[in-house]
Amino acid sequence: MKLLAAVVLVAGLAGVAAWGGEAFARDEHMGTCVFEKLTGQDYKFCRGDLEVFYPELGDVGCTYIPKCNQYRKRISKEWRSPKIAYPQADKNKKYVLIMVDPDAPNRANPKYRFWRHWVVIDIKGTDLRAGKLKGHVLTDYGRPTPPSQSGYHRYQFRLYEQPAHEAISLSPEEEASLGSWPMERFVEQFRLGSPVASTQFLTQHHSD
């Protein structure tokens, strides 16, 4: 993989990543950690400046989650839902956020795509601009948990403008299962159109 960008963290530095008035303290002895940017078609998926923030990592949009400092383990087992920001959001509109894994159980044979990790509707544009994801949750946030030996998985975030007066919901069948979710049918059914912004990160099982 071609290295497009790297963030180097120096050992012994008690750094702090600040965003939106909150500070996320880094580990005191982190060593050197390199963050690689996505390339090719994976990079092209990212559009519209949608921002996804995890503690210590900052905005993970269009990056590989590195194994150093147990980041892959912590994103799968420790950290709660990321902060989502879309500075270009229209203050007078509402939005729908969808997070999916299109690579379940693996990218070569994604027979369970799309695995639904998060769906939030009725998100006000003013809240998105401020990085405060408030709305009606249809699917609670599910941490990225790629199976061992399944390679890298894409965790995609898609943001849609919500049509006015559209009552969006999941069917009982959809609520009963996260895997093999017909996302495209959901988008078509509720007339969401194309995403106004999208981004993704790639990670794999922390022991691989």
Side-chain angles (χ1 to χ4, degrees):
M1 296 177 293
K2 183 179 179 181
L3 182 63
L4 294 184
V7 177
V8 179
L9 306 175
V10 180
L13 177 64
V16 173
W19 174 77
E22 296 189 18
F24 300 118
R26 299 187 185 278
D27 293 342
E28 292 185 1
H29 302 287
M30 298 184 67
T32 299
C33 195
V34 176
F35 292 71
E36 293 187 51
K37 284 290 188 180
L38 303 184
T39 60
Q41 291 301 315
D42 288 334
Y43 173 79
K44 291 180 180 179
F45 179 83
C46 306
R47 53 179 295 274
D49 297 324
L50 181 62
E51 301 170 354
V52 177
F53 293 84
Y54 281 97
E56 303 180 16
L57 293 174
D59 185 1
V60 297
C62 257
T63 65
Y64 292 92
I65 303 300
K67 188 174 183 179
C68 52
N69 303 315
Q70 297 189 330
Y71 285 148
R72 292 178 189 165
K73 183 176 182 179
R74 298 173 75 180
I75 205 171
S76 294
K77 294 180 175 294
E78 177 182 338
W79 292 329
R80 291 178 291 180
S81 59
K83 290 183 177 292
I84 306 294
Y86 182 52
Q88 291 81 13
D90 188 321
K91 296 180 180 180
N92 300 313
K93 292 183 178 180
K94 291 184 177 180
Y95 294 83
V96 176
L97 177 72
I98 294 175
M99 175 186 176
V100 291
D101 172 6
D103 302 322
N106 58 65
R107 196 162 183 173
N109 181 30
K111 60 182 178 180
Y112 299 131
R113 72 181 305 175
F114 291 88
W115 197 277
R116 195 170 71 251
H117 279 263
W118 204 11
V119 179
V120 186
I121 65 172
D122 295 329
I123 307 168
K124 294 180 180 179
T126 51
D127 290 334
L128 268 177
R129 290 168 68 101
K132 297 178 180 179
L133 191 68
K134 300 177 182 178
H136 179 63
V137 178
L138 297 185
T139 299
D140 289 331
Y141 173 74
R143 295 184 178 99
T145 54
S148 180
Q149 304 301 315
S150 66
Y152 277 101
H153 286 235
R154 292 168 289 173
Y155 291 91
Q156 299 181 337
F157 297 79
R158 302 162 185 251
L159 186 69
Y160 301 86
E161 285 187 6
Q162 183 169 321
H165 311 299
E166 188 72 51
I168 300 175
S169 63
L170 295 172
S171 68
E173 293 77 17
E174 288 174 309
E175 290 182 343
S177 175
L178 298 174
S180 300
W181 182 46
M183 184 189 68
E184 293 99 335
R185 189 174 68 190
F186 177 86
V187 169
E188 181 179 359
Q189 177 183 355
F190 296 109
R191 300 179 297 167
L192 299 182
S194 299
V196 295
S198 57
T199 192
Q200 65 180 346
F201 64 81
L202 272 67
T203 189
Q204 60 180 335
H205 192 272
H206 60 85
S207 65
D208 294 345

